[in-house]
Amino acid sequence: MKKLLLTAFSFLAIGMAPVVAQDDCEFEAQVEFYTAMWGAEISWEITNDAGDIALDGGNYEDYDAEAYVHCFEPGCYQLHMYDSFGDGWNAAFMSLNFPDAGIMLGDITLESGNYDVFNFALGAECEFEEGT
């Protein structure tokens, strides 16, 4: 019985160990997203130059606030902003910042329409196509 309790306690202790921050994260992003009205219409994704989704969000409530911390590799990225109704984000915005690297992209929004893209580079030389 003592051996069983010791094993169970060891398993719980390991499972409750604190999460250690990644020391090898070159570009740690702090992303905050705020909605006003019509939050359910809003979605976004950040893709790398291969088109893979690095981070995304959506399915928001009205007057919602979400925060994300994400590690990005050096490279070329695009923030794709969507609005399913087509009238923009209605005062919603996201803050995309990389404080350790001194990169502050600030508050970004979709002013009108159903789609826009914002290009950014992290430690890489990037050539983005016109109109994207």
Side-chain angles (χ1 to χ4, degrees), residues 43-47 78-82 89 115-118:
S43 63
W44 57 272
E45 63 187 18
I46 298 175
T47 58
Q78 292 186 313
L79 165 63
H80 302 271
M81 300 170 282
Y82 306 99
W89 281 1
Y115 175 77
D116 201 0
V117 64
F118 179 82

Side-chain angles (χ1 to χ4, degrees), residues 32-42 44 57-68 89-94:
E32 296 176 355
F33 196 89
Y34 302 93
T35 66
M37 291 293 295
W38 317 113
E41 298 175 2
I42 298 168
W44 57 272
N59 197 29
Y60 295 106
E61 302 283 329
D62 291 350
Y63 302 100
D64 201 356
E66 299 284 335
Y68 311 87
W89 281 1
N90 298 299
F93 66 95
M94 70 186 306

Side-chain angles (χ1 to χ4, degrees), residues 3 8 10 24 43 50 66-67 77 102 124:
K3 185 176 182 180
S10 299
D24 61 346
S43 63
E66 299 284 335
Y77 293 91

Side-chain angles (χ1 to χ4, degrees), residues 60-131:
Y60 295 106
E61 302 283 329
D62 291 350
Y63 302 100
D64 201 356
E66 299 284 335
Y68 311 87
V69 175
H70 186 75
C71 187
F72 285 87
E73 298 292 324
C76 306
Y77 293 91
Q78 292 186 313
L79 165 63
H80 302 271
M81 300 170 282
Y82 306 99
D83 181 82
S84 64
F85 191 75
D87 61 349
W89 281 1
N90 298 299
F93 66 95
M94 70 186 306
S95 175
L96 178 59
N97 299 306
F98 302 85
D100 293 339
I103 301 169
M104 309 303 265
L105 301 176
D107 297 340
I108 303 166
T109 190
L110 175 59
E111 293 289 335
S112 63
N114 63 353
Y115 175 77
D116 201 0
V117 64
F118 179 82
N119 301 311
F120 64 99
L122 299 172
E125 294 290 324
C126 302
E127 292 186 28
F128 295 104
E129 293 180 30
E130 286 291 319

